[in-house]
Structure formats: C-alpha cells, structure tokens
C-alpha cells in the first residue's frame, strides 16, 4: 500500500504526570509507528544476503533498494524534516533489533525471526506506486514491474491493504507468473460503503494541516471508486435511511468516525435501504455528497464541478468493469443458490486479517428536519446540506479499525487460507514488539515457500519417473520392433528358401525331361 516507511504521531495531553507526580500542563506524546519500515528492511536484508551468497558482485536485485539508500544518504544535508527522517531511520534500526521489553518466549521467537533473512534469503523487490491512480492501471504496472524485475521467474507476493487488491488481480490474469502464491493482509475485498465518509467529509493529516484527504482532493483520485458495491444486493443494509423511523435512535450528524475505536454493536439499525448507484456521478451530486454539497458552492466553480464529474465518470466506469472482471460481480441481482465454481488454476492464497478492533460498517442518513436560511450560496441554495449523515452509530463489527473482518477475504470461487491477527490496520506489517503482526504474517510466507519447493521436488520426481518410464517404453518398443523385424526376416528367409527349392525342383524336372528326351532321340537315331 504505497511505500510509507515510518509515521510519527504528535499528541498533546494534560493527563500525564511529570517527575514530581504533578500533572503536566503541556505534555506532548511522541508515538513512533514504523508502518512498512520493518517489512521493507526485512526484504532488503533478504535480498542483500542472497547476493552475498551468490557472489555476483551485485548488492541488490533491483534499483528500488539502491535508490532508497541514496535518498537516505542525501538526507543528511537537507532541512529539518529530512533530518527528522534520519532520526526516524536510526530509531527504526533500534526498534528492529530491540527486544529489551519482550518476554523470554517473545525474545526467542523474535531472534528466530531475525535469522529468517539469512535462512530464507532470495531476491526480493518492493513495488512502489501512486495509490491515487486507478486500480486497472496499477495492476498493469505491478505485473510489468514483476516481469521486468524477475524475467522468466516465478514470483511470490506479500501485500497489504490496496496492494492486496492489485496482487489478486494480477494472479487472476497471470496465474503462471505467480504460481508460488501470495500472502495478503488487511485487504478491502468487500468494504461496501465504508469509504463514503472519507469522500464526503474527509480528514486532515500532519498536525491537521495537510489537505490531501479532504473531499476536493479525494474526488480527483481514482483507485477508491473500486471499493463500492455495484448492486443493491451487495450493499445489503450498510447504508440506510432513518428519516421515517418511529423509534428514537442515537444520531451524530456529520461527525467523522475515522480514527475512532467504535464499541462492538452487532445489531443493525433498522431503516430503509438507501442504496444508490455509487458508479454514477449524478447520484453523488443528487445526494450532495462531498464536493457536491452546498458548502463547496463558493469554493468550486461550475466548470470545475463539470471537470470533476467527467473525471469521475471515466474512473467509475473503469472501476466497475474491473470489479466485474476480477471478482465476477454483476450489477444484476445474483442467484444466491448457485454454487460457486472454484478456480482450479488460481495459485495458493493466504488472507490475514484482524478481528480485535470493531469498525462501523453501517452508515445512517436522514433528511434534515430544521433548515435555517442562514445564507445562500452563489448557486442560490441554502448553505446547509439538506441531508445529515451518521458514520458513528450504525452497526459495528469485528475488524482492524479500518476494514471489517468478514469483508477481508476473496470471493467464494477462490480457494484460500484464513489467518486471524490481533493488530490494528496501520500496524499489521510491523513486528510484534511494536504492536504488529509481521512475525505471524512472515511465517505464512515461509510456509508457502516451503510448500512450493516441495511441489517443485514432487514435479521433478514425477518427471524423472515419467522420463524413466518413457525410456523403458522406448526400449521395449525398440526390442519389440527388433523382435518383429527378426521374425519377419526369418519368415522372408524361409520363403526365399522355399522359392529356391521350388525353383530347383522345377529346374531339375526340366533337366530330367530333357535328359530323357535326348536319350530317346539318340536311340531312335541309332536304331
């Protein structure tokens, strides 16, 4: 899921004690999150050990790691944020090897994991991509990268989040290339409507200053359109209208639930199914979602809105066709009684997901009851949205805090293995000592690799048996042919002998007759 190596979270608090036991008024907490730093470091070490053992005078398999080394070295002469990056790199080195606070069992398991790069060293590479682009484009880029980096070689994939969707698509299209299989973690196979709040409300990052996840930015992106269901049946009751509900329900209007840990609430909120065509820009405009809300009337011109819609139409159509091809989905109502036919050519597949952090997978909507005419936008409509959305109080189910557990596995026509993790979505690819699950995930990678090596050995043995059987068959046929040829030759020889005897007999008889005739004629002349 991109190439984010490290994240540092700053949070202010007044609940921490200082050294004197008093409350600190301006306490600042520094939360270091390696994100993908542990994984990329592990792969890099595996790759380096492989080339050391091969003695090919090559430090890395691809330019990916070399570029990252150059960037790290160049950062020493740059500004404050680059120097912070160097601090993070040093911190990650320490975090990777530090097991001081781990229990004895954890230390032993961790040391065993540390030796994996040496035991299982092989060529590796990290695929970097821009997750804002469309999934069809990214899938093509991923396969091209694998073909160019490892030509005429089989490739095993380790992927997280959206990277798992791309990997799944490549394996569906080119199963021979990815024959060893894939281990994916926290993949949004069936996220349903959960990404709708990202598009509608958005959120800030980087000390609440970065706007890259605000609606005006997110609506220019392409990949996330493939998250939504393409039929009403697939949507189920994940988006309901509670305007006409008689019972009183809790409703927090237009508050973001991103980053919040929801209490487990397995019971669904009753309401009318509010499904709409997620792949139609006009529907987003009708419901005043995201940039189509009145709050953006004075921020975005009509021409810009039309440009947004034109872009959305193209990307939505591509995303919808992609889901139909890769997941065999249809916008018609499917027959649930039909048994899925398992794809026999699909490579081994392990899907890992957490079920310890609840996530809301049902959103609520209602018509705003009281709309005060505070101001009018340039388009002549009320500046307050006529719809209210609740992203907090709907049904919540087990998950990783971002993706629900049941929606993190491939369709029924794909045979796969499921592994349950305990970590949050953002920490799943970190070592257990940092609150992640990389050790568990990596064991599945190694197990899959060993299974594939066993498969290759069996194939080699079967090939030897077939080759030996073929040689025996050829020799048998050869000897059989020789025997048949010998019998034919013997028969031919016997026939020739018989013919010669017959010829000799006939010649003998002729000679005898001639001899008698001569004797008879001699006697007559003599007489």
């Amino acid at each position: 899921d991109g190439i984010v190596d490290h994240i540092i979270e700053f949070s202010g608090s007044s609940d921490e004690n200082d050294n004197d036991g008093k409350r600190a008024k301006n306490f600042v907490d520094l939360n270091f999150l390696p994100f993908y730093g542990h994984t990329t470091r592990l792969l890099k070490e595996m790759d380096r050990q492989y080339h050391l053992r091969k003695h090919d005078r090559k430090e890395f398999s691809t330019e990916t790691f070399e570029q990252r080394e150059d960037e790290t070295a160049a950062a020493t002469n740059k500004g404050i944020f680059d120097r912070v990056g160097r601090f993070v790199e040093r911190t990650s080195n320490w975090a990777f090897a530090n097991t001081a606070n781990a229990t004895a069992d954890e230390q032993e398991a961790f040391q065993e994991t540390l030796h994996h790069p040496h035991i299982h060293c092989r060529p590796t590479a990290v695929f970097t991509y821009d997750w804002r682009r469309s999934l069809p484009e990214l899938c093509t880029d991923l396969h091209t990268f694998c073909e160019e980096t490892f030509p005429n070689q089989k490739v095993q994939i380790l992927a997280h989040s959206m990277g798992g969707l791309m990997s799944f698509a490549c394996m569906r299209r080119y199963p021979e290339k990815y024959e060893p299989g894939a281990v994916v973690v926290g993949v949004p196979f069936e996220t349903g409507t959960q990404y709708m709040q990202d598009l509608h409300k958005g959120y800030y990052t980087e000390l609440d200053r970065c706007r890259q996840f605000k609606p005006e930015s997110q609506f220019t992106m392409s990949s996330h359109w493939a998250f939504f269901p393409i039929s009403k049946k697939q949507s189920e009751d994940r988006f309901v209208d509670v305007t006409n509900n008689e019972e009183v329900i809790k409703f927090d209007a237009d508050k973001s639930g991103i980053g919040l840990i929801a209490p487990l609430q397995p019971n669904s909120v009753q309401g009318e199914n509010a499904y709409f065509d997620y792949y139609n820009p006009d529907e987003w405009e009708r419901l005043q979602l995201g940039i189509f809300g009145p709050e953006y009337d004075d921020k975005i011109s009509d021409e810009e809105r039309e440009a947004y819609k034109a872009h959305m139409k193209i990307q939505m159509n591509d995303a919808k066709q992609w889901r139909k091809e890769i997941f065999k989905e249809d916008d018609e109502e499917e027959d649930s009684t039909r048994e899925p036919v398992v794809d026999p050519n699909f490579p081994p597949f392990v899907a890992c997901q957490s079920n310890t952090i609840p996530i809301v997978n049902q959103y609520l909507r209602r018509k705003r009851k009281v709309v005060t005419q505070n101001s009018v936008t340039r388009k002549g409509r009320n500046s307050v949205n006529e719809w209210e959305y609740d992203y907090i109080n709907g049904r919540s189910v087990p998950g990783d805090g971002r993706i629900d557990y049941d929606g993190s596995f491939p369709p029924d026509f794909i045979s796969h293995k499921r592994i349950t993790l305990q970590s949050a979505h953002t920490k799943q690819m970190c070592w257990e000592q940092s609150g992640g699950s990389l050790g568990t995930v990596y064991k599945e990678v190694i197990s899959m690799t060993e299974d594939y090596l066993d498969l290759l050995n069996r194939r080699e043995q079967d090939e030897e048996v077939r080759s030996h059987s073929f040689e025996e068959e050829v020799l048998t046929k050869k000897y059989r042919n020789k025997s048949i040829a010998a019998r034919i030759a013997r028969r031919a020889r016997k026939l020739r002998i018989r013919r010669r005897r017959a010829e000799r007999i006939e010649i003998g008889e002729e000679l005898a007759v001639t001899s008698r005739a001569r004797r008879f004629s001699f006697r007559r002349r003599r007489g």
Side-chain angles (χ1 to χ4, degrees):
D1 186 15
I3 194 58
V4 180
D5 259 0
H6 311 92
I7 290 179
I8 299 180
E9 277 186 344
F10 294 92
S11 60
S13 174
S14 60
D15 296 331
E16 297 292 333
N17 294 330
D18 58 15
N19 295 332
D20 298 329
K22 299 179 180 179
R23 295 288 182 182
K25 294 182 179 180
N26 297 311
F27 175 80
V28 178
D29 180 28
L30 173 62
N31 179 25
F32 168 74
L33 179 61
F35 215 68
Y36 296 125
H38 289 172
T39 306
T40 54
R41 180 185 172 90
L42 173 66
L43 295 176
K44 176 181 174 181
E45 181 63 19
M46 290 172 59
D47 192 64
R48 190 180 70 85
Q49 289 294 329
Y50 167 78
H51 291 290
L52 284 176
R53 295 188 182 188
K54 195 175 180 181
H55 302 290
D56 57 2
R57 297 182 179 180
K58 189 176 181 182
E59 188 173 1
F60 299 114
S61 294
T62 67
E63 297 179 355
T64 307
F65 294 126
E66 295 176 356
Q67 291 174 353
R68 293 166 64 77
E69 287 286 307
D70 296 339
E71 291 170 0
T72 302
T76 56
N77 299 322
K78 295 185 179 180
I80 179 62
F81 289 103
D82 296 295
R83 291 198 294 273
V84 170
R86 288 290 296 163
F87 163 75
V88 170
E89 176 66 20
R90 292 194 301 273
T91 309
S92 69
N93 295 341
W94 169 82
F96 183 79
N98 180 40
T99 56
N101 296 325
T103 63
D105 293 339
E106 289 175 334
Q107 288 186 29
E108 182 179 355
F110 191 56
Q111 290 300 324
E112 180 184 355
T113 306
L114 284 175
H115 286 84
H116 281 166
H118 305 275
I119 298 175
H120 302 283
C121 60
R122 50 179 165 154
T124 65
V126 174
F127 175 65
T128 61
Y129 64 95
D130 187 343
W131 51 264
R132 296 169 298 181
R133 296 169 56 201
S134 69
L135 274 174
E137 291 179 358
L138 294 175
C139 295
T140 301
D141 288 351
L142 172 58
H143 181 66
T144 301
F145 173 83
C146 291
E147 287 285 9
E148 293 177 351
T149 306
F150 304 111
N152 303 318
Q153 289 179 282
K154 306 294 185 181
V155 173
Q156 182 190 30
I157 296 180
L158 170 62
H160 181 246
S161 196
M162 191 185 296
L165 290 180
M166 297 160 49
S167 305
F168 182 78
C170 290
M171 296 173 73
R172 288 270 290 135
R173 292 171 176 167
Y174 312 99
E176 299 84 5
K177 179 68 176 179
Y178 309 99
E179 186 182 45
V183 178
V184 301
V185 185
V187 181
F189 285 104
E190 297 180 11
T191 54
T193 60
Q194 286 150 299
Y195 204 80
M196 192 173 73
Q197 71 164 321
D198 296 67
L199 290 164
H200 179 46
K201 301 301 294 183
Y203 57 95
Y204 286 93
T205 59
E206 298 180 9
L207 303 180
D208 288 340
R209 294 184 302 173
C210 179
R211 298 180 60 85
Q212 72 176 41
F213 293 109
K214 299 299 288 182
E216 57 265 38
S217 299
Q218 295 236 41
F219 272 76
T220 67
M221 303 175 190
S222 306
S223 59
H224 48 234
W225 298 117
F227 294 162
F228 295 100
I230 64 176
S231 70
K232 186 175 182 179
K233 184 175 183 179
Q234 291 173 339
S235 179
E236 298 174 336
D237 63 342
R238 299 180 184 180
F239 184 37
V240 296
D241 191 301
V242 296
T243 303
N244 300 321
N245 274 28
E246 295 181 357
E247 62 175 310
V248 178
I249 61 173
K250 187 177 180 181
F251 195 100
D252 292 319
D254 299 325
K255 291 183 179 180
S256 176
I258 298 174
L260 300 180
I261 299 178
L264 187 61
Q265 177 61 37
N267 298 324
S268 302
V269 176
Q270 299 303 313
E272 182 181 353
N273 193 327
Y275 168 80
F276 66 97
D277 187 355
Y278 294 96
Y279 295 87
N280 185 353
D282 294 331
E283 289 291 279
W284 290 79
E285 186 175 28
R286 178 180 66 85
L287 296 173
Q288 300 181 4
L289 289 166
I291 61 168
F292 299 108
E295 57 269 33
Y296 282 92
D297 284 355
D298 297 328
K299 298 179 182 179
I300 300 176
S301 66
D302 294 340
E303 291 77 10
E304 288 175 327
R305 266 211 177 103
E306 289 302 317
Y308 271 109
K309 290 179 65 175
H311 170 73
M312 291 170 61
K313 187 175 182 179
I314 295 173
Q315 302 305 327
M316 286 176 169
N317 180 68
D318 290 346
K320 189 174 185 178
Q321 295 304 319
W322 183 83
R323 287 201 71 91
K324 287 184 176 182
E325 175 194 353
I326 301 303
F327 296 111
K328 295 183 178 181
E329 295 178 349
D330 197 353
D331 43 13
E332 300 293 334
E333 298 304 324
E334 301 174 356
D335 183 8
S336 60
T337 61
R338 184 174 55 188
E339 290 292 330
V341 179
V342 177
D343 185 353
N345 299 319
F346 195 80
F349 200 79
V350 176
C352 309
Q353 177 59 326
S354 305
N355 65 350
T356 55
I357 305 177
I359 175 175
V360 176
N361 78 336
Q362 183 190 41
Y363 293 158
L364 314 179
R365 182 191 72 181
R366 72 183 180 187
K367 203 79 170 180
R368 193 179 297 274
K369 296 181 179 180
V370 179
V371 179
T372 57
Q373 193 75 17
N374 293 330
S375 61
V376 178
T377 69
R378 64 174 181 80
K379 295 179 69 68
R381 58 177 178 173
N382 196 325
S383 60
V384 179
N385 198 314
E386 62 180 284
W387 296 98
E388 293 179 316
Y389 296 89
D390 184 340
Y391 302 107
I392 299 175
N393 296 300
R395 177 187 59 237
S396 61
V397 296
D400 61 9
R402 186 60 172 164
I403 302 170
D404 59 273
Y405 180 81
D406 291 335
S408 302
F409 301 104
D412 293 337
F413 64 87
I414 297 297
S415 177
H416 61 280
K417 177 182 178 182
R418 299 186 177 189
I419 300 296
T420 301
L421 307 177
Q422 306 296 321
S423 54
H425 186 77
T426 54
K427 290 190 175 183
Q428 287 173 331
M429 303 304 287
C430 302
W431 292 117
E432 278 71 2
Q433 281 67 23
S434 296
S437 303
L438 181 55
T440 302
V441 173
Y442 190 65
K443 286 180 181 178
E444 294 300 322
V445 174
I446 298 304
S447 177
M448 179 180 288
T449 307
E450 293 173 344
D451 290 343
Y452 181 65
L453 293 176
D454 291 340
L455 174 63
L456 294 181
N457 290 333
R458 290 196 301 270
R459 285 181 181 175
E460 186 177 353
Q461 294 173 0
D462 294 342
E463 185 62 30
E464 291 179 357
V465 171
R466 284 194 297 270
S467 177
H468 183 67
S469 301
F470 178 74
E471 291 177 358
E472 289 183 346
E473 184 178 354
V474 170
L475 291 174
T476 302
K477 288 182 179 180
K478 183 177 180 181
Y479 292 142
R480 187 184 302 121
N481 293 337
K482 284 186 177 180
S483 177
I484 294 174
R487 287 199 299 269
I488 293 175
R490 286 196 297 270
R491 291 178 182 176
R493 190 163 52 251
K494 289 179 180 180
L495 289 174
R496 287 196 299 270
I497 292 173
R498 289 175 184 174
R499 287 178 187 149
R500 289 175 183 173
R501 287 178 179 175
E503 291 175 355
R504 289 172 182 173
I505 292 173
E506 292 178 358
I507 293 173
E509 290 178 352
E510 291 179 359
L511 291 174
V513 171
T514 303
S515 177
R516 286 195 299 271
R518 287 178 178 177
R519 287 197 300 271
F520 178 74
S521 61
F522 175 77
R523 290 172 184 168
R524 288 183 61 185
R525 289 195 300 270
R526 189 176 180 182

